[in-house]
Amino acid sequence: MTKRKYENIGYRLFRLSLAFEDYQDDDQDTSMPLYDEIIRDLTDYRTRYNELSSEEREKLASKLVDKYEKLLDIVGRENFIFYDDGDVNYIWKNY
């Protein structure tokens, strides 16, 4: 995989994590085991980031993005805005 593709995966992971932080802040949904799993995996990924090879980073980032994609299906994609560049934002309801 090219470096540019990895940067896109990293960007997508970053934006999904921010979107779900907003979702949690707005919705207060605390009954999401998959989200808890993602947070544990994301914490591990960030903690070990400098120790990982670029291939390992890419693999872990891809797995995290896949988990976020499943979570989007669970909470409803209609609650988010998706952009062509990989950006994603939560649509606030209680702002």
Side-chain angles (χ1 to χ4, degrees):
M1 187 170 283
T2 66
K3 183 177 180 183
R4 183 70 181 145
K5 179 67 175 169
Y6 174 70
E7 289 171 357
N8 289 341
I9 291 170
Y11 180 75
R12 180 79 171 164
L13 177 59
F14 174 68
R15 295 305 302 173
L16 283 165
S17 68
L18 291 178
F20 272 97
E21 283 181 29
D22 288 347
Y23 171 80
Q24 285 288 101
D25 288 345
D26 188 44
D27 193 80
Q28 303 296 315
D29 186 355
T30 59
S31 62
M32 295 191 308
L34 180 56
Y35 183 70
D36 295 338
E37 178 183 327
I38 291 169
I39 294 303
R40 283 191 302 273
D41 292 349
L42 187 58
T43 300
D44 180 59
Y45 172 78
R46 290 176 176 165
T47 302
R48 297 184 321 129
Y49 184 85
N50 290 328
E51 301 167 8
L52 300 171
S53 69
S54 61
E55 293 83 17
E56 291 170 317
R57 287 181 198 152
E58 181 181 315
K59 184 177 177 182
L60 290 173
S62 292
K63 285 182 179 182
L64 282 162
V65 167
D66 289 345
K67 287 181 181 185
Y68 270 122
E69 292 289 336
K70 289 178 187 173
L71 191 58
L72 283 167
D73 291 334
I74 292 169
V75 302
R77 290 179 179 270
E78 67 276 4
N79 295 305
F80 298 84
I81 299 171
F82 301 91
Y83 300 92
D84 291 338
D85 66 356
D87 198 358
V88 60
N89 288 308
Y90 172 69
I91 302 168
W92 286 78
K93 293 173 182 50
N94 299 310
Y95 184 76

